[in-house]
Amino acid sequence: MSLSFFELSAGRWFSQRTSHHLAFKQQEGGKSNLTIEVLAKDHPEVVKLCQHYEVDPTQALCGARVSWDGTMEWDEEKHAGSTVLVPVADSLQALEGQLLREMGYAEKAPVAGRYLINQEELILITEYETMYSKERLWFESPNVRLRHSILKRFGGFSMASFCSEIRMGVTQPKANTPEAADATNSG
Amino acid sequence: MSLSFFELSAGRWFSQRTSHHLAFKQQEGGKSNLTIEVLAKDHPEVVKLCQHYEVDPTQALCGARVSWDGTMEWDEEKHAGSTVLVPVADSLQALEGQLLREMGYAEKAPVAGRYLINQEELILITEYETMYSKERLWFESPNVRLRHSILKRFGGFSMASFCSEIRMGVTQPKANTPEAADATNSG
């Protein structure tokens, strides 16, 4: 299930992100090109990450390499980077488990989070020392992926973010997804 | 259930909204003060709206008056207005039903949509002649309400929006919700 979510996510995406800073009542936008590549569980980077967390690599469902290249409004700097994610289910049938990652979203140290699948949504929870983040990802169609996340610091909600992502390079509407191609092409 | 969602929503909120125009790859922000007032089902405006849709007013769960006053980035005009919403459950126990509203979100003619409650989320679906909108609303805490909506025009996704709303006038952390007060006060 989690494997299929990664498979559906594979490809190149144009991502718009907005962060609402709740305490400051300000919002910041950003744009990014995103590339998601599925890695086999015996891929050297997957094995390496599993070893780092002392997890048996055969327990990994798969891996994903996520690369991004974009800008945020408040600084004009380029934000580019990549990370490897590896979901490890709690058991063979479980819809939840550990999510190993090379680099945390909010802090740049390796950190393991939890993932769970709930009604077609992938939910990622990461707890840092003073921070908690929950992210929900879902597909509106095979070519439109949405993400929402909320961040708590020191027990208080500090930021809510929202990403809309449209698949790049879709020129022909697929049989069941005219809408996504429409979003990509009519701009 | 839907009644309680309205009750939880009652009050004054500071709302940040962002719309991602998918085809144009542009985003627009906005801010608004929002006031939500629960109306009894025998309130004259609830009765009037039911009569307009030829629904027996005793079938209404309740009513809500939503008023807003804000700005969007692209025009500097004030956006102010109000509407009345009335949920009418399909049956006594049903978690879904009709949502009568005085004014549609996307077109200014009265239009009845559908609502349904799914795992603590309120989902609103409105179908216009050439347009379809789906909105999801949920509480992260009693003082932080989030909304996400997606709009299709002529069968294609055209816009995804996201609102984060924090309750206004909360000065003391409630027993179970230090985070909301934190978000409101620390800015």
Side-chain angles (χ1 to χ4, degrees):
Chain A
M1 185 73 173
S2 162
L3 174 61
S4 86
F5 199 98
F6 278 116
E7 283 168 342
L8 292 170
S9 298
R12 292 189 312 124
W13 300 83
F14 174 78
S15 175
Q16 285 195 72
R17 181 183 190 87
T18 305
S19 297
H20 290 184
H21 298 264
L22 299 180
F24 300 109
K25 299 185 178 179
Q26 294 293 334
Q27 53 182 272
E28 182 186 19
K31 293 179 181 184
S32 190
N33 291 328
L34 208 66
T35 305
I36 300 173
E37 186 189 347
V38 177
L39 307 176
K41 60 181 169 178
D42 59 359
H43 188 284
E45 291 196 56
V46 175
V47 173
K48 188 177 132 202
L49 198 60
C50 287
Q51 285 168 344
H52 176 86
Y53 286 99
E54 299 178 350
V55 166
D56 177 0
T58 62
Q59 287 193 284
L61 294 174
C62 65
R65 185 189 287 117
V66 181
S67 312
W68 59 91
D69 182 4
T71 49
M72 290 295 283
E73 275 174 1
W74 291 359
D75 48 18
E76 290 288 303
E77 280 172 51
K78 273 276 182 192
H79 291 262
S82 81
T83 187
V84 173
L85 303 173
V86 174
V88 182
D90 286 343
S91 66
L92 220 62
Q93 300 300 320
L95 294 177
E96 57 183 294
Q98 269 192 293
L99 185 73
L100 316 183
R101 56 179 111 190
E102 216 184 353
M103 195 180 94
Y105 274 112
E107 294 186 353
K108 293 196 171 178
V111 63
R114 298 282 305 165
Y115 75 89
L116 62 108
I117 302 282
N118 179 27
Q119 292 193 329
E120 312 287 307
E121 277 192 354
L122 176 65
I123 299 172
L124 308 179
I125 291 171
T126 315
E127 297 191 61
Y128 307 88
E129 245 179 74
T130 59
M131 215 184 282
Y132 165 95
S133 91
K134 185 177 74 180
E135 183 166 22
R136 293 159 65 181
L137 300 93
W138 70 96
F139 287 90
E140 285 290 338
S141 82
N143 296 328
V144 176
R145 194 175 90 143
L146 300 174
R147 292 195 278 154
H148 160 260
S149 71
I150 192 144
L151 197 73
K152 278 189 192 185
R153 274 175 197 268
F154 305 107
F157 288 119
S158 62
M159 193 163 77
S161 299
F162 176 63
C163 291
S164 61
E165 300 177 329
I166 55 177
R167 194 181 288 278
M168 291 167 75
V170 179
T171 51
Q172 290 298 314
K174 283 186 195 173
N176 296 318
T177 60
E179 66 282 2
D182 181 71
T184 316
N185 293 332
S186 59
Chain B
M1 184 72 173
S2 164
L3 174 59
S4 85
F5 200 97
F6 278 116
E7 284 169 340
L8 292 171
S9 298
R12 292 189 312 124
W13 300 84
F14 173 78
S15 174
Q16 286 196 71
R17 182 183 189 87
T18 306
S19 297
H20 291 183
H21 298 265
L22 299 180
F24 300 109
K25 300 185 178 177
Q26 294 292 334
Q27 53 183 271
E28 183 186 18
K31 293 179 182 185
S32 191
N33 291 327
L34 208 67
T35 304
I36 300 173
E37 186 189 347
V38 177
L39 307 177
K41 60 179 170 180
D42 59 359
H43 188 283
E45 291 196 56
V46 175
V47 173
K48 189 177 134 202
L49 197 61
C50 287
Q51 284 167 346
H52 175 88
Y53 286 99
E54 299 178 349
V55 166
D56 177 359
T58 61
Q59 287 193 284
L61 294 175
C62 65
R65 184 189 287 119
V66 182
S67 312
W68 59 92
D69 182 2
T71 50
M72 290 295 282
E73 275 174 1
W74 291 359
D75 48 18
E76 289 288 302
E77 280 171 52
K78 272 276 179 192
H79 290 263
S82 80
T83 187
V84 173
L85 304 172
V86 175
V88 181
D90 286 342
S91 66
L92 220 59
Q93 300 300 321
L95 292 178
E96 57 183 294
Q98 269 191 295
L99 184 72
L100 315 183
R101 57 179 111 191
E102 214 183 355
M103 197 179 92
Y105 275 113
E107 294 186 353
K108 294 196 173 177
V111 62
R114 298 281 305 164
Y115 76 88
L116 63 107
I117 301 281
N118 179 26
Q119 293 193 328
E120 312 288 306
E121 277 193 354
L122 175 65
I123 299 172
L124 308 179
I125 292 171
T126 315
E127 297 192 61
Y128 307 88
E129 246 179 73
T130 60
M131 215 184 283
Y132 165 96
S133 89
K134 185 176 75 178
E135 183 167 22
R136 294 160 65 181
L137 300 92
W138 70 97
F139 288 90
E140 285 291 337
S141 82
N143 297 328
V144 177
R145 195 176 89 144
L146 300 173
R147 291 196 278 155
H148 159 261
S149 71
I150 193 144
L151 196 74
K152 278 188 191 185
R153 274 173 196 270
F154 304 108
F157 288 119
S158 63
M159 193 163 76
S161 299
F162 175 62
C163 290
S164 61
E165 301 176 330
I166 55 175
R167 194 181 288 278
M168 290 165 75
V170 178
T171 50
Q172 289 299 315
K174 283 187 195 173
N176 297 315
T177 59
E179 66 282 1
D182 183 69
T184 316
N185 292 332
S186 60

